[in-house]
Every structure is written in structure tokens, then in C-alpha cells.
Short mmCIF file of all heavy atoms in Angstrom, two decimals:
data_model
loop_
_atom_site.label_atom_id
_atom_site.label_comp_id
_atom_site.label_asym_id
_atom_site.label_seq_id
_atom_site.Cartn_x
_atom_site.Cartn_y
_atom_site.Cartn_z
N LEU A 392 23.47 25.95 21.02
CA LEU A 392 22.31 25.08 20.92
C LEU A 392 21.25 25.67 19.98
O LEU A 392 20.58 24.95 19.24
CB LEU A 392 21.72 24.84 22.32
CG LEU A 392 22.53 23.90 23.23
CD1 LEU A 392 21.93 23.88 24.62
CD2 LEU A 392 22.55 22.49 22.65
N TRP A 393 21.08 26.98 20.06
CA TRP A 393 20.08 27.62 19.18
C TRP A 393 20.47 27.48 17.72
O TRP A 393 19.63 27.23 16.86
CB TRP A 393 19.94 29.08 19.58
CG TRP A 393 18.88 29.80 18.81
CD1 TRP A 393 19.03 30.54 17.69
CD2 TRP A 393 17.49 29.80 19.10
NE1 TRP A 393 17.84 31.03 17.26
CE2 TRP A 393 16.85 30.58 18.11
CE3 TRP A 393 16.70 29.23 20.10
CZ2 TRP A 393 15.48 30.80 18.10
CZ3 TRP A 393 15.35 29.46 20.09
CH2 TRP A 393 14.74 30.23 19.10
N LEU A 394 21.74 27.63 17.40
CA LEU A 394 22.19 27.54 16.01
C LEU A 394 22.25 26.10 15.51
O LEU A 394 22.03 25.83 14.32
CB LEU A 394 23.57 28.20 15.88
CG LEU A 394 23.63 29.72 16.15
CD1 LEU A 394 25.06 30.22 16.06
CD2 LEU A 394 22.73 30.48 15.18
N ALA A 395 22.60 25.20 16.39
CA ALA A 395 22.77 23.82 15.94
C ALA A 395 21.43 23.18 15.56
O ALA A 395 21.35 22.49 14.54
CB ALA A 395 23.46 23.01 17.02
N GLY A 396 20.43 23.40 16.41
CA GLY A 396 19.11 22.85 16.08
C GLY A 396 19.03 21.35 16.29
O GLY A 396 19.94 20.68 16.78
N SER A 397 17.92 20.87 15.87
CA SER A 397 17.63 19.46 16.11
C SER A 397 18.51 18.53 15.28
O SER A 397 18.87 17.44 15.73
CB SER A 397 16.16 19.19 15.81
OG SER A 397 15.88 19.47 14.44
N HIS A 398 18.85 18.92 14.03
CA HIS A 398 19.61 18.01 13.16
C HIS A 398 21.03 17.80 13.65
O HIS A 398 21.64 16.77 13.33
CB HIS A 398 19.61 18.54 11.73
CG HIS A 398 18.25 18.52 11.10
ND1 HIS A 398 17.60 17.36 10.73
CD2 HIS A 398 17.40 19.53 10.80
CE1 HIS A 398 16.43 17.63 10.22
NE2 HIS A 398 16.27 18.97 10.24
N LEU A 399 21.58 18.79 14.39
CA LEU A 399 22.96 18.66 14.84
C LEU A 399 23.07 18.10 16.25
O LEU A 399 24.16 17.69 16.66
CB LEU A 399 23.67 20.02 14.79
CG LEU A 399 23.78 20.67 13.40
CD1 LEU A 399 24.47 22.01 13.52
CD2 LEU A 399 24.54 19.74 12.45
N ILE A 400 21.98 18.09 17.01
CA ILE A 400 22.06 17.67 18.40
C ILE A 400 21.20 16.44 18.67
O ILE A 400 21.66 15.44 19.20
CB ILE A 400 21.65 18.82 19.34
CG1 ILE A 400 22.62 19.98 19.19
CG2 ILE A 400 21.59 18.35 20.79
CD1 ILE A 400 22.27 21.19 20.02
N VAL A 401 19.91 16.53 18.27
CA VAL A 401 18.98 15.48 18.65
C VAL A 401 19.34 14.15 18.00
O VAL A 401 19.32 13.11 18.65
CB VAL A 401 17.54 15.89 18.28
CG1 VAL A 401 16.57 14.75 18.58
CG2 VAL A 401 17.15 17.14 19.04
N ARG A 402 19.69 14.20 16.70
CA ARG A 402 19.97 12.95 16.01
C ARG A 402 21.17 12.21 16.62
O ARG A 402 21.06 11.00 16.89
CB ARG A 402 20.20 13.24 14.52
CG ARG A 402 20.48 12.01 13.69
CD ARG A 402 19.35 11.03 13.80
NE ARG A 402 19.64 9.77 13.14
CZ ARG A 402 18.91 8.68 13.26
NH1 ARG A 402 17.84 8.71 14.04
NH2 ARG A 402 19.23 7.58 12.62
N PRO A 403 22.32 12.85 16.84
CA PRO A 403 23.42 12.12 17.47
C PRO A 403 23.05 11.59 18.86
O PRO A 403 23.45 10.48 19.22
CB PRO A 403 24.52 13.17 17.56
CG PRO A 403 24.23 14.12 16.46
CD PRO A 403 22.75 14.20 16.39
N VAL A 404 22.28 12.37 19.62
CA VAL A 404 21.89 11.90 20.95
C VAL A 404 20.99 10.69 20.84
O VAL A 404 21.10 9.71 21.60
CB VAL A 404 21.20 13.03 21.73
CG1 VAL A 404 20.59 12.52 23.03
CG2 VAL A 404 22.20 14.15 22.03
N GLN A 405 20.05 10.72 19.85
CA GLN A 405 19.15 9.59 19.66
C GLN A 405 19.92 8.33 19.27
O GLN A 405 19.67 7.25 19.80
CB GLN A 405 18.12 9.93 18.58
CG GLN A 405 17.12 8.81 18.33
CD GLN A 405 16.20 9.14 17.16
OE1 GLN A 405 16.56 9.92 16.29
NE2 GLN A 405 15.04 8.53 17.15
N VAL A 406 20.85 8.48 18.35
CA VAL A 406 21.63 7.32 17.93
C VAL A 406 22.42 6.77 19.12
O VAL A 406 22.49 5.55 19.32
CB VAL A 406 22.57 7.72 16.76
CG1 VAL A 406 23.54 6.60 16.45
CG2 VAL A 406 21.74 8.08 15.53
N LEU A 407 23.01 7.67 19.90
CA LEU A 407 23.78 7.23 21.06
C LEU A 407 22.89 6.52 22.07
O LEU A 407 23.27 5.48 22.62
CB LEU A 407 24.45 8.44 21.72
CG LEU A 407 25.24 8.16 23.00
CD1 LEU A 407 26.36 7.17 22.75
CD2 LEU A 407 25.77 9.45 23.59
N ALA A 408 21.68 7.05 22.27
CA ALA A 408 20.76 6.42 23.22
C ALA A 408 20.37 5.03 22.75
O ALA A 408 20.33 4.08 23.54
CB ALA A 408 19.52 7.29 23.40
N GLU A 409 20.07 4.90 21.44
CA GLU A 409 19.71 3.59 20.92
C GLU A 409 20.86 2.60 21.06
O GLU A 409 20.66 1.42 21.40
CB GLU A 409 19.27 3.72 19.47
CG GLU A 409 17.95 4.49 19.31
CD GLU A 409 17.63 4.74 17.84
OE1 GLU A 409 18.50 4.44 16.99
OE2 GLU A 409 16.52 5.25 17.58
N ARG A 410 22.06 3.06 20.80
CA ARG A 410 23.21 2.17 20.91
C ARG A 410 23.46 1.76 22.37
O ARG A 410 23.82 0.62 22.65
CB ARG A 410 24.46 2.86 20.36
CG ARG A 410 24.37 3.14 18.85
CD ARG A 410 25.63 3.76 18.32
NE ARG A 410 26.75 2.83 18.40
CZ ARG A 410 28.00 3.13 18.05
NH1 ARG A 410 28.28 4.35 17.62
NH2 ARG A 410 28.95 2.23 18.16
N LEU A 411 23.24 2.69 23.29
CA LEU A 411 23.39 2.34 24.70
C LEU A 411 22.34 1.33 25.14
O LEU A 411 22.62 0.43 25.92
CB LEU A 411 23.30 3.61 25.55
CG LEU A 411 24.51 4.55 25.49
CD1 LEU A 411 24.22 5.84 26.24
CD2 LEU A 411 25.73 3.86 26.07
N ILE A 412 21.12 1.50 24.62
CA ILE A 412 20.06 0.55 24.96
C ILE A 412 20.41 -0.84 24.45
O ILE A 412 20.27 -1.84 25.16
CB ILE A 412 18.71 1.03 24.40
CG1 ILE A 412 18.27 2.32 25.11
CG2 ILE A 412 17.65 -0.05 24.57
CD1 ILE A 412 17.06 2.97 24.50
N ARG A 413 20.86 -0.89 23.20
CA ARG A 413 21.24 -2.19 22.64
C ARG A 413 22.41 -2.79 23.41
O ARG A 413 22.47 -3.99 23.63
CB ARG A 413 21.59 -2.02 21.16
CG ARG A 413 20.39 -1.70 20.28
CD ARG A 413 20.73 -1.87 18.80
NE ARG A 413 21.79 -0.96 18.39
CZ ARG A 413 21.57 0.26 17.93
NH1 ARG A 413 20.34 0.74 17.86
NH2 ARG A 413 22.58 1.04 17.58
N PHE A 414 23.33 -1.93 23.78
CA PHE A 414 24.47 -2.42 24.55
C PHE A 414 24.01 -2.98 25.90
O PHE A 414 24.50 -4.02 26.34
CB PHE A 414 25.45 -1.26 24.77
CG PHE A 414 26.59 -1.61 25.69
CD1 PHE A 414 27.65 -2.36 25.22
CD2 PHE A 414 26.59 -1.18 27.01
CE1 PHE A 414 28.69 -2.68 26.06
CE2 PHE A 414 27.63 -1.50 27.85
CZ PHE A 414 28.69 -2.25 27.37
N GLY A 415 23.08 -2.27 26.55
CA GLY A 415 22.58 -2.77 27.83
C GLY A 415 21.83 -4.07 27.69
O GLY A 415 21.85 -4.90 28.61
N ARG A 416 21.15 -4.30 26.55
CA ARG A 416 20.42 -5.55 26.33
C ARG A 416 21.31 -6.66 25.78
O ARG A 416 20.85 -7.79 25.65
CB ARG A 416 19.28 -5.29 25.35
CG ARG A 416 18.19 -4.39 25.90
CD ARG A 416 17.16 -4.10 24.83
NE ARG A 416 16.09 -3.25 25.35
CZ ARG A 416 15.10 -2.77 24.61
NH1 ARG A 416 15.07 -3.03 23.30
NH2 ARG A 416 14.16 -2.03 25.16
N GLY A 417 22.52 -6.33 25.42
CA GLY A 417 23.42 -7.34 24.86
C GLY A 417 23.21 -7.58 23.39
O GLY A 417 23.71 -8.57 22.84
N GLU A 418 22.49 -6.67 22.71
CA GLU A 418 22.26 -6.83 21.28
C GLU A 418 23.43 -6.30 20.49
O GLU A 418 24.26 -5.54 20.99
CB GLU A 418 20.98 -6.07 20.88
CG GLU A 418 19.73 -6.56 21.59
CD GLU A 418 18.52 -5.73 21.23
OE1 GLU A 418 18.69 -4.76 20.46
OE2 GLU A 418 17.41 -6.04 21.73
N GLN A 419 23.49 -6.69 19.22
CA GLN A 419 24.54 -6.20 18.34
C GLN A 419 24.29 -4.74 17.99
O GLN A 419 23.16 -4.27 17.95
CB GLN A 419 24.60 -7.04 17.07
CG GLN A 419 25.01 -8.49 17.31
CD GLN A 419 25.11 -9.26 16.02
OE1 GLN A 419 24.76 -8.76 14.95
NE2 GLN A 419 25.58 -10.50 16.11
N ASP A 420 25.39 -4.02 17.74
CA ASP A 420 25.30 -2.61 17.42
C ASP A 420 24.95 -2.45 15.94
O ASP A 420 25.75 -2.73 15.06
CB ASP A 420 26.63 -1.92 17.72
CG ASP A 420 26.54 -0.41 17.54
OD1 ASP A 420 25.41 0.11 17.40
OD2 ASP A 420 27.59 0.21 17.53
N GLU A 421 23.72 -2.02 15.68
CA GLU A 421 23.27 -1.81 14.30
C GLU A 421 22.87 -0.36 14.13
O GLU A 421 22.02 0.16 14.84
CB GLU A 421 22.08 -2.71 13.98
CG GLU A 421 22.41 -4.20 14.05
CD GLU A 421 21.19 -5.05 13.76
OE1 GLU A 421 20.10 -4.45 13.55
OE2 GLU A 421 21.30 -6.28 13.76
N THR A 422 23.48 0.31 13.20
CA THR A 422 23.19 1.71 12.95
C THR A 422 21.96 1.81 12.05
O THR A 422 21.91 1.20 10.98
CB THR A 422 24.38 2.40 12.27
OG1 THR A 422 25.52 2.24 13.10
CG2 THR A 422 24.09 3.87 12.06
N ARG A 423 20.97 2.57 12.50
CA ARG A 423 19.74 2.71 11.74
C ARG A 423 19.73 4.02 10.96
O ARG A 423 20.54 4.91 11.20
CB ARG A 423 18.53 2.68 12.68
CG ARG A 423 18.39 1.35 13.43
CD ARG A 423 17.14 1.38 14.30
NE ARG A 423 16.97 0.14 15.02
CZ ARG A 423 15.95 -0.10 15.85
NH1 ARG A 423 15.05 0.85 16.06
NH2 ARG A 423 15.86 -1.26 16.46
#
């Protein structure tokens, strides 16, 4: 975790969270 940093961990988690939110709302999956 110390070596990976924010660019290797936070961004994928954020994208996954946004996709899960859209999935829960029934929205289309759009990658930002």
C-alpha cells in the first residue's frame, strides 16, 4: 500500500465505487 500510493489504489476504487452507484441506480455504465 505504501509503494502503490493513491494513483494505483484510490483511482480504481473510485471508479469501482462510481460504477456500483450507477449500477444500484439503474444507470448506464459510463467510464469517466
